[in-house]
Structures are given as C-alpha cells and as structure tokens.
Amino acid sequence: MPATELDQIVNLCKRRGFVYPSAEIYGGFRSTYDYGPLGALMLRNVKEAWLRAMVQLRDDVVLIDASILGPPPVYEASGHLANFTDPLVDCTNCKQRFRQDQLDDPDLCPSCGKRGTFTDPRNFNLMFKTFAGPVEGAGAEVYLRPETAQGMFLNFANVLNTTRKKPPFGIAQVGKSFRNEITPGNFVFRTREFEQMEMEFFVPPADADRWYEFWCAERLNWYRALGIPDAMLRLRAHDADELSHYSRGTSDVEFAYPWGWGELEGIANRGDFDLTQHANHSGEKLDYFDQATNERYRPYVIEPAAGATRAMMAFLLAAYDEDVINDEPRTVLRLHPRLAPYKVAVLPLSKKDTLTPLARQVYATLADRYLVDYDETQAIGRRYRRQDEVGTPLCVTVDFDSLDDGAVTIRERDSTQQQRVPIADLLNAIGDKLGF
Ligand code: GAP
C-alpha cells in the first residue's frame, strides 16, 4: 500500500540519503532541500525518463538549456512582473503570513484562531530579484526565472532558423526555477527552488485543441507507465477563474497526496500570448511562414509543464510499501526500474578475500551498463532489506559455489524470487528483467 503519511517518505529520505534539509548544520534553511547520494540519482532518473519520452522518442521535439538569469524586459513582456503575484495577508495578532486564496475561511486565522485580524491583501510578486554586476540598484536588476518556459519563447526564432523544424514541433527544457513562495511546504511539494521539465509545442492555431487533448492524455500516461496506479492519478480541467494570465485552457494531472488531490503537472493552451508579447516588446518577428501554403501565422503553444522534484516525491509516495517476508516486516520501494537509484546491487556472500575478486569482476561488468551498488557489509538478509528499502530492483549474490560453477543468484525486489544464472549470461538476464 502506498504511503499514507508524508512522514513515511520524509523519514526514509533522510535515513537513506535521498533528501536532506539544506544547511542543516546551521539549523536548516526553511523549505530548501539537498538531494543526497540516492536522491540525486533518482532525480536524474526522473528527468531522464521525461527526456526519453519527450525528446528521445520524438522527432518533433528539440532540447535547449537556457539561462536562469533574465533581464526585466523579458518579464515585463511575459506578464510576470505585473501578474505573477499571490495575495498575501498578515495576521495582526500572531504575525503569521498566509496566501489569502488558500485560507479555508478568509476571516479566520488558522494559526491563532482569531477572527478579523487579517490585514488587507497585498499582491506579492513571486519572482526573486537580484543584481548583475558590482553596483546594486536601478538598471542592474535581474530576475531568476520563475519558469523554464520563457527560455523556449525567447529562442523560438533561433530554433526555427537553426533546425529544420516547423509546426507542429516542440522545444523542451529541464532545469531549475525559483519562486518566492509565501507558503512553501509539504516537503519538496512546494519549495522556493525546484526543478521543472517543460515543453512548448508550437502548432497551427487551428490544430491547438487537438494537440491540447493529445498532450493531456500523453502526460497522464507517462506517470502511469512509470508505475503510479490509476487510482492515484486524475486529470482536472481548471475553472475559468483559476487560469493563469496566459492560458486559454489548463488541465492539471493531479496526484492523491497524503493530504488530498493536488497538482502534479499542468498542461496549458497558451495560445499565441507569449510569442505575441515577445514580438511586440522586442520588435522581432516571431511567427512562421509556411512555404507550402504561402501563409504567415503565429503558432499557438501547448505546454506540458511538470515539476521534476514534485514528480520524484509522487513516485516515492506511490512506490512506498510495507509487507512481511519470512515473518519479518520490510519496507520496500516498488520503484519502476528506470526510476530506481541503483538498478542492481552486487552482494558477495562473505567479505572473504576468496570471493572479492569475482564479485568485483561482476560489479565491473554490470557497472559498465547500469548504476550498480556494491555492498559486502552485514548479513545477506539485512543487505537485501537495505536494497529493498531504496528500491533496487535486483540483487546479484556471489557465493562460494560461484567460484566453481561460474554462476550467481539474481534476487528480485518485488517477489523476492531467486534465480541462478551463469555469469556469462548475466547482462542479458539483467536486461530482460529490467526491460532495458
Ligand atoms: N510554465 C508553466 C508553469 O510553470 P506551473 O503550474 O506554475 O506552470 C509547473 O508549474 C509545475 O512545476 C507544477 O505542476 C509543479 O509540478 C512544479 N512546481 C511549480 N511550483 C513549484 C514549487 N514551488 N515547488 C515545486 N514544484 C513546483
């Protein structure tokens, strides 16, 4: 059964080196996290699974990596300076701050329980501002990007001019975004620094509705294919009053978090809002001339926008399980093999010198293709449990018989079943079991 409490995942992440509170030795830096040895691998796997689906398996999407710092004109044009705000209220009694639109009762402070103590709402801009160069002040301001999307719009003409792509085609990007959230929280669900995986798909305006439906279905299926059960996923269309300033229609892929349904990814029809704004503000022609029809038009954009860090948390919550094996309780992460930090663990049955050379050789063979852990400490049963708890799909045990028969044992995380395999066939056997 998936995790029912957020703490099940938070504790496991800390205990096993997935996610640590940032700057912990200084008492922590609120709602900021560092990804440890296993978390860094898993986060990379989430991003690679996204890139595989969105870029590698599609000949109509290209990848870019744009800058994080941007000058004010970009965000004037994009509308973020004027519109990327949340309504902030302060409680004059307990001095706590809240997003007014997230309060159950707009007049009741959820912290101290007093009524009528809120200040009037102020629009608080979520962008982080800093200064470029040695002099702080007017003219030196720059912004940390609040979404990766603007990099794709700014490079629309560059990509058209340097590739042979034409609508329908997409520009994808994976990277950090920054938002000065008023109420960060729920572990890595909402943080001020996070990673996004976004794709802007440029289409002829007449085809926008069809592509919007396509990408909604496609994105929902991506989470399913990577192991999130149907019962924990749903697609929800935004009401008109929820739409972002650029959107003609948005649907969220929602996930059943321990606290209820919430956003995992948004798929938006941004129309021609962004290209028109940047064309008007920059004076550049941001449109497409179709030589086949002799028509010039400004494409519409369908945008699947996912959070890599938020998706990692959802995959962890969905994969978490507790069961009993040989009368012993175990915690197991039933992660899809593509997401698991390590694909295989090589476990010599004993630390004795006689086994080490062969075990090291098996490790080297597997490590050439997969990320592999090597562990020779503790009893074998405890080592299996440790690998189960971090989601390693397969363990390979090298024992004393291996020295004679040239074979090893593969043990599967989910079923705990074991199979003896000649070392000469090991790579093929592992590939068959993992599916890649
Ligand atoms: N370009 C459109 C855009 O940025 P969004 O719905 O604001 O849309 C897309 O963000 C995704 O980025 C969200 O669905 C979520 O997964 C992730 N995300 C947004 N804000 C976040 C935050 N403060 N912390 C973690 N992830 C966040």
Side-chain angles (χ1 to χ4, degrees):
M1 190 173 134
T4 49
E5 306 284 332
L6 188 58
D7 273 352
Q8 290 170 295
I9 286 302
V10 177
N11 294 340
L12 190 148
C13 282
K14 178 78 204 299
R15 187 170 71 245
R16 298 306 312 277
F18 280 84
V19 182
Y20 308 125
S22 180
E24 203 179 6
I25 60 170
Y26 288 99
F29 179 40
R30 196 175 156 237
S31 297
T32 309
Y33 295 92
D34 296 342
Y35 290 76
L38 294 176
L41 290 178
M42 182 170 172
L43 185 57
R44 194 183 76 161
N45 292 341
V46 170
K47 293 182 281 186
E48 277 182 1
W50 187 89
L51 286 169
R52 187 178 135 79
M54 302 297 278
V55 180
Q56 183 180 333
L57 298 179
R58 301 194 64 94
D59 64 2
D60 55 0
V61 179
V62 294
L63 181 68
I64 66 165
D65 192 354
S67 69
I68 286 174
L69 292 175
V74 168
Y75 295 107
E76 262 161 42
S78 70
H80 284 87
L81 277 173
N83 299 314
F84 198 54
T85 55
D86 279 338
L88 168 73
V89 289
D90 291 295
C91 172
T92 50
N93 182 52
C94 69
K95 312 291 178 217
Q96 294 288 317
R97 289 207 156 137
F98 302 94
R99 256 176 74 173
Q100 191 193 40
D101 57 334
Q102 287 182 341
L103 291 169
D104 290 335
D105 179 336
D107 200 36
L108 177 70
C109 175
S111 174
C112 66
K114 287 257 177 356
R115 281 198 172 276
T117 53
F118 286 133
T119 57
D120 288 339
R122 283 175 289 143
N123 277 339
F124 173 74
N125 196 293
L126 299 185
M127 281 199 295
F128 277 101
K129 184 161 74 170
T130 186
F131 300 96
V135 183
E136 292 191 5
E141 295 104 336
V142 290
Y143 292 94
L144 272 64
R145 66 183 179 197
E147 56 173 10
T148 60
Q150 295 307 317
M152 276 81 97
F153 301 125
L154 300 184
N155 284 293
F156 169 74
N158 281 337
V159 172
L160 267 189
N161 293 336
T162 53
T163 67
R164 291 178 181 274
K165 300 295 172 214
K166 53 183 192 176
F169 81 101
I171 310 181
Q173 182 168 204
V174 174
K176 289 225 168 170
S177 292
F178 302 83
R179 296 182 189 177
N180 200 359
E181 300 280 3
I182 298 170
T183 49
N186 284 333
F187 196 36
V188 298
F189 176 79
R190 182 174 290 110
T191 48
R192 297 197 169 111
E193 174 181 344
F194 54 97
E195 278 199 83
Q196 289 190 306
M197 312 180 289
E198 298 197 289
M199 198 269 286
E200 311 302 321
F201 202 69
F202 300 91
V203 300
D207 297 342
D209 290 345
R210 185 167 62 80
W211 279 109
Y212 175 67
E213 298 301 326
F214 172 86
W215 281 112
C216 284
E218 197 75 357
R219 293 305 305 149
L220 191 62
N221 280 337
W222 184 77
Y223 293 100
R224 282 192 187 125
L226 287 169
I228 299 188
D230 274 354
M232 299 186 84
L233 287 171
R234 71 179 187 189
L235 200 62
R236 186 186 67 82
H238 280 207
D239 293 333
D241 62 351
E242 284 179 88
L243 293 177
S244 309
H245 61 274
Y246 50 72
S247 175
R248 291 167 169 253
T250 296
S251 290
D252 284 347
V253 175
E254 291 193 333
F255 178 80
Y257 297 96
W259 60 89
W261 288 101
E263 181 183 344
L264 186 52
E265 163 162 357
I267 299 106
N269 175 355
R270 295 179 77 127
D272 61 3
F273 176 86
D274 304 272
L275 290 182
T276 300
Q277 287 293 106
H278 287 301
N280 291 345
H281 281 71
S282 68
E284 294 291 323
K285 245 195 194 140
L286 299 181
D287 45 24
Y288 174 71
F289 179 69
D290 188 338
Q291 286 176 337
T293 59
N294 244 355
E295 262 181 325
R296 185 172 286 284
Y297 67 89
R298 183 160 290 144
Y300 275 23
V301 172
I302 309 302
E303 174 197 66
T309 35
R310 191 177 290 187
M312 173 172 150
M313 176 174 137
F315 285 124
L316 285 169
L317 286 164
Y320 185 91
D321 196 10
E322 291 170 4
D323 63 4
V324 176
I325 300 291
N326 300 334
D327 295 333
E328 260 193 54
R330 77 164 175 168
T331 301
V332 53
L333 281 185
R334 300 191 190 278
L335 289 173
H336 188 285
R338 284 203 186 272
L339 302 179
Y342 291 115
K343 313 305 176 200
V344 189
V346 173
L347 313 176
L349 198 62
S350 127
K351 251 191 199 165
K352 288 218 170 76
D353 288 351
T354 36
L355 279 189
T356 307
L358 183 63
R360 281 278 164 202
Q361 187 191 318
V362 168
Y363 171 82
T365 306
L366 293 173
D368 196 45
R369 189 177 297 175
Y370 303 110
L371 255 150
V372 182
D373 194 14
Y374 185 90
D375 184 7
E376 57 184 14
T377 59
Q378 296 185 317
I380 189 73
R382 295 193 65 171
R383 280 185 274 163
Y384 284 150
R385 294 287 180 282
R386 278 181 70 79
Q387 296 298 334
D388 292 342
E389 201 186 26
V390 300
T392 309
L394 301 171
C395 290
V396 170
T397 314
V398 180
D399 56 29
F400 290 101
D401 289 341
S402 307
L403 298 172
D404 299 324
D405 66 3
V408 288
T409 303
I410 302 178
R411 180 228 186 228
E412 294 180 9
R413 173 195 70 199
D414 293 341
S415 64
T416 73
Q417 277 178 354
Q418 306 198 0
Q419 186 191 350
R420 196 82 181 157
V421 175
I423 293 173
D425 298 339
L426 186 59
L427 266 181
N428 283 342
I430 297 279
D432 286 348
K433 285 181 188 296
L434 294 175
F436 53 89

